[in-house]
């Protein structure tokens, strides 16, 4: 029943692009000479960090056209341009002043050559959040900024956007059922039907609320801690762990590949799940993050009440997709690492439960109600 769906959403191979082919493409379409490149980990696209002959660094990303149709990728690129006031990677035009370059690879699928699109992005220098320990003031600022981006994404014209990838909330049920044979191997507490029922209730509860674009994948690898501005005082090595409040760095958000049209609460819920994962379930960090978010966007009670289950379903879905991906591509070390981390997160969520979660992050009356058990 889901074979056709799976062939596009789960089984789609990465584009075939060797370093030599990438060098050729940048020379041909961008008039750029590559001095050095490094392939970066990714689920479904091919991505290189490229140092050009003049010393500039860029990111070259090859998108399989079956995963990101040209009109949807155009919408993603256009959306990035509307966020110019934020620290997000800007697309770089090719020699014809186009932001998207169509490429036909030598890899075949279903008897046809795999077609992909190449987009070059500015490189954001810095450290991934996963490598960094930061003060409470940073987490407040991060929450506020993500809310501001969410608010502005809510104003973007979504017409012409048709993409429904396997990670989208609206795809959850099909994705999990499509990979259901992987579920028993996870060894997690909930049953498959329990997870699906939670998701159905989430979507039913949110049905009255409008939809908008969300980034959909604000995790510890997509938040970049950027170097301090020239003349400011900060540690020389920004990867050094620190707890002091006198270092409050700037940051940027990268990788809008999973741009999704859905309800706004999924953005903050997904971000909170990844923050818990990367910060060893430090609820104090999460509390300050949500305080910052709430200073810009005040969620309705219905939205707030589904955050825990959204996080749980997201990590279960990530695990079943990850297990399926590794079955098909055992060499995908990035996915193996993510799977190990996500299984630990699911076990911890079940240990803590929703009441502790909401008690720790709730604001004002919400916090009092959840901590007293009256909610």
């Amino acid at each position: 029943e889901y074979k056709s769906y799976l062939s596009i959403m789960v089984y789609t191979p990465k584009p075939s692009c060797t370093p030599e082919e990438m060098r050729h493409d940048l020379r041909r379409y961008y008039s750029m000479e590559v001095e050095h490149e490094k392939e970066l980990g990714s689920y479904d696209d091919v991505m290189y960090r490229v140092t050009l002959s003049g010393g500039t660094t860029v990111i070259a990303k090859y998108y399989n056209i079956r995963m990101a149709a040209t009109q949807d990728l155009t919408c993603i690129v256009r959306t990035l341009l509307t966020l110019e006031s934020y620290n997000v990677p800007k697309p770089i035009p090719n020699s014809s002043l186009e932001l998207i370059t169509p490429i036909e690879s030598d890899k075949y699928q279903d008897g046809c050559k795999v077609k992909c699109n190449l987009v070059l992005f500015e490189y954001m220098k810095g450290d991934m959040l996963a490598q960094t320990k930061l003060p409470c003031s940073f987490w407040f600022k991060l929450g506020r900024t993500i809310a501001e981006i969410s608010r502005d994404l809510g104003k973007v014209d979504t017409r012409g956007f048709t993409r429904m990838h396997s990670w989208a909330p609206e795809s959850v049920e099909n994705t999990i059922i499509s990979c259901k044979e992987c579920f028993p191997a996870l060894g997690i507490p909930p049953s498959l039907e329990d997870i699906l029922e939670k998701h159905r209730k989430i979507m039913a509860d949110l049905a009255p609320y409008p939809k908008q674009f969300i980034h959909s994948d604000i995790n510890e690898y997509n938040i970049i801690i950027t170097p301090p501005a020239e003349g400011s005082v900060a540690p020389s090595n920004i990867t050094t762990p620190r707890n002091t409040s006198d270092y409050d760095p700037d940051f940027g958000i990268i990788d809008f590949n999973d741009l999704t049209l859905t309800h706004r609460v999924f953005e903050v819920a997904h971000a909170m799940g990844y923050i818990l994962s990367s910060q060893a379930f430090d609820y104090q960090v999460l509390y300050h993050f949500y305080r910052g978010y709430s200073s810009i966007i005040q969620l309705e009670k219905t939205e707030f009440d589904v955050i825990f289950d959204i996080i749980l379903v997201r990590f279960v879905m990530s695990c079943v997709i990850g297990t399926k991906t590794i079955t098909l591509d055992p060499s995908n070390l990035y996915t193996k690492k993510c799977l190990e981390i996500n299984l630990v997160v699911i076990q911890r969520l079940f240990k803590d439960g929703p009441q502790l979660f909401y008690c720790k992050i709730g604001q004002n009356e919400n916090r009092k109600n959840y901590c007293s058990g009256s909610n």
Side-chain angles (χ1 to χ4, degrees):
E1 181 180 356
Y2 293 102
K3 185 177 180 181
S4 175
Y5 173 85
L6 278 172
S7 68
I8 298 174
M9 309 301 268
V10 179
Y11 294 125
T12 300
K14 290 186 176 186
S16 175
C17 178
T18 65
E20 292 74 21
E21 290 169 329
M22 181 273 297
R23 286 170 175 255
H24 171 267
D25 290 340
L26 263 60
R27 184 181 303 113
R28 176 181 178 184
Y29 297 109
Y30 293 84
S31 301
M32 295 176 175
E33 292 296 328
V34 176
E35 185 175 290
H36 175 75
E37 76 283 328
K38 180 181 179 181
E39 186 169 359
L40 305 177
S42 177
Y43 266 101
D44 50 30
D45 51 50
V46 172
M47 178 166 53
Y48 288 98
R49 183 174 66 219
V50 181
T51 303
L52 302 174
S53 56
T56 302
T57 302
V58 298
I59 297 293
K61 300 194 78 166
Y62 288 81
Y63 299 84
N64 191 315
I65 203 166
R66 299 185 69 184
M67 287 293 289
T70 300
Q71 70 268 22
D72 294 333
L73 189 54
T74 301
C75 200
I76 292 171
V77 168
R78 187 176 68 236
T79 299
L80 277 171
L81 294 176
T82 69
L83 299 176
E84 61 182 358
S85 62
Y86 299 99
N87 194 8
V88 301
K90 308 300 189 297
I92 300 170
N94 60 26
S95 301
S96 301
L97 302 182
E98 300 290 338
L99 295 175
I100 299 173
T101 304
I103 305 287
E104 187 174 273
S105 80
D106 292 328
K107 194 169 186 176
Y108 281 80
Q109 182 185 27
D110 300 333
C112 301
K113 280 191 174 183
V114 174
K115 295 181 179 179
C116 57
N117 284 308
L118 168 61
V119 180
L120 249 59
F121 293 98
E122 296 174 355
Y123 173 65
M124 189 176 296
K125 184 178 181 181
D127 290 337
M128 293 180 293
L129 180 64
Q131 303 169 343
T132 314
K133 191 171 182 65
L134 295 158
C136 295
S137 56
F138 167 83
W139 296 103
F140 181 92
K141 184 168 69 172
L142 176 63
R144 185 184 63 206
T145 300
I146 287 175
E148 289 171 343
I149 290 175
S150 180
R151 177 196 61 199
D152 290 352
L153 285 176
K155 302 173 185 176
V156 174
D157 185 358
T158 63
R159 288 176 296 181
F161 189 80
T162 60
R163 190 181 184 204
M164 189 64 69
H165 57 78
S166 56
W167 293 91
E170 287 74 10
S171 299
V172 164
E173 187 160 355
N174 278 352
T175 298
I176 291 179
I177 292 176
S178 299
C179 304
K180 64 182 178 182
E181 72 275 12
C182 301
F183 196 87
L186 300 179
I188 56 178
S191 69
L192 177 66
E193 190 53 43
D194 286 341
I195 291 298
L196 292 176
E197 190 54 41
K198 284 182 184 296
H199 176 68
R200 291 168 189 143
K201 186 176 186 307
I202 290 168
M203 300 308 288
D205 289 347
L206 295 177
Y209 294 88
K211 294 185 178 184
Q212 63 166 73
F213 278 145
I214 68 168
H215 177 290
S216 190
D217 196 25
I218 297 179
N219 61 47
E220 64 270 32
Y221 300 104
N222 289 335
I223 300 170
I224 303 298
I225 308 303
T226 55
E230 187 176 347
S232 63
V233 178
S236 58
N237 179 2
I238 68 170
T239 62
T240 302
R242 53 198 167 273
N243 292 295
T244 57
S245 59
D246 60 351
Y247 182 70
D248 192 1
D250 288 328
F251 57 89
I253 308 293
I254 65 171
D255 196 358
F256 281 73
N257 291 354
D258 287 346
L259 190 75
T260 302
L261 183 58
T262 191
H263 304 287
R264 66 180 182 179
V265 68
F266 284 99
E267 187 82 284
V268 66
H270 292 166
M272 291 169 82
Y274 290 121
I275 289 171
L276 275 181
S277 170
S278 67
Q279 302 300 309
F281 272 73
D282 185 341
Y283 283 104
Q284 187 72 3
V285 163
L286 206 62
Y287 170 75
H288 288 288
F289 171 83
Y290 189 66
R291 273 186 61 231
Y293 181 89
S294 299
S295 69
I296 303 297
I297 294 178
Q298 293 78 45
L299 295 176
E300 300 285 345
K301 185 178 184 302
T302 300
E303 296 174 294
F304 183 78
D305 286 348
V306 296
I307 290 176
F308 181 86
D309 281 347
I310 288 176
I311 295 172
L312 178 62
V313 171
R314 171 74 171 196
F315 276 84
V316 170
M317 185 172 69
S318 180
C319 285
V320 296
I321 292 178
T323 303
K324 173 64 74 175
T325 301
I326 293 167
T327 301
L328 298 168
D329 181 12
S331 65
N332 195 325
L333 300 180
Y334 173 80
T335 301
K336 286 182 179 179
K337 179 182 177 182
C338 291
L339 177 59
E340 292 171 1
I341 294 170
N342 293 341
L343 285 171
V344 172
V345 172
I346 293 170
Q347 297 286 353
R348 180 62 186 270
L349 287 171
F350 267 87
K351 177 186 175 185
D352 291 355
Q355 185 170 336
L356 174 65
F357 174 87
Y358 287 119
C359 175
K360 293 288 188 179
I361 70 162
Q363 315 293 310
N364 304 325
E365 194 65 25
N366 266 338
R367 187 180 180 92
K368 185 175 75 174
N369 289 343
Y370 277 104
C371 292
S372 67
S374 61
N375 241 10

